[in-house]
Amino acid sequence: MSRINMAAVVPEAYQAVLGLEKYLHANLDHTVLELVKLRASMLNGCAFCVDMHSRDALAAGESSRRLFAVAAWREAPFFDERERTALALTDAVTRLGQHGVPDEVWDSAAKVWSEKELADLVVAIATINVWNRIAVTSQAQPPTEE
């Protein structure tokens, strides 16, 4: 049972975040978007979002092997350079510590992503972090049925 239904209590705010989702689906590679969402959700301990994004990625044709490997992406050989830099940026932005995003993480991503693509990645990472915080705080639960 969730604590609060944010969509019902603050529908304008909920719709604003959905607007970001709509933008991202139109502007960012779907595979990368799902990997970013899954990784951030794992880092944030959001069961609802891990479940949703792993199921969405599977339905879109992603392999279960790659999805399981997102938890240990640095050691896994299944991701290309663009995916690796997106996952590294996801880690850095999600864990945003005292010193922010390290230059080496940003510079690596900037070598393989355009400025617009990088901006879209940052928006994607920020957006999933918003969703994670809403879901974890409200104690949203994934559906128990398949």
Side-chain angles (χ1 to χ4, degrees):
M1 187 85 183
S2 75
R3 289 178 173 163
I4 188 170
N5 180 340
M6 299 290 281
V9 177
V10 287
E12 297 88 359
Y14 197 85
Q15 288 300 313
V17 183
L18 283 176
L20 289 170
E21 283 293 328
K22 186 175 181 178
Y23 169 83
L24 292 167
H25 281 276
N27 288 281
L28 191 59
D29 175 79
H30 183 74
T31 299
V32 170
L33 181 58
E34 288 304 327
L35 292 175
V36 163
K37 289 179 177 185
L38 182 58
R39 179 61 181 169
S41 299
M42 288 174 170
L43 293 173
N44 288 322
C46 184
F48 181 87
C49 294
V50 166
D51 178 71
M52 178 187 347
H53 298 301
S54 59
R55 286 188 298 130
D56 288 351
L58 285 169
E62 184 61 81
S63 76
S64 57
R65 192 172 187 198
R66 276 176 35 103
L67 292 180
F68 295 143
V70 168
W73 69 267
R74 290 181 193 278
E75 290 79 26
F78 310 124
F79 305 103
D80 66 27
E81 185 177 16
R82 285 170 59 90
E83 291 167 338
R84 287 183 171 288
T85 59
L87 290 166
L89 190 60
T90 300
D91 285 5
V93 173
T94 299
R95 293 178 170 151
L96 199 58
Q98 181 179 3
H99 302 290
V101 175
D103 288 339
E104 60 270 12
V105 170
W106 183 263
D107 293 345
S108 292
K111 288 179 184 173
V112 296
W113 294 92
S114 72
E115 188 173 48
K116 165 81 164 62
E117 289 170 327
L118 274 174
D120 286 339
L121 274 172
V122 171
V123 172
I125 297 163
T127 301
I128 189 57
N129 274 280
V130 168
W131 285 125
N132 289 164
R133 280 146 180 77
I134 288 170
V136 170
T137 303
S138 66
Q139 295 183 339
Q141 297 296 307
T144 55
E145 71 282 345
E146 288 291 319

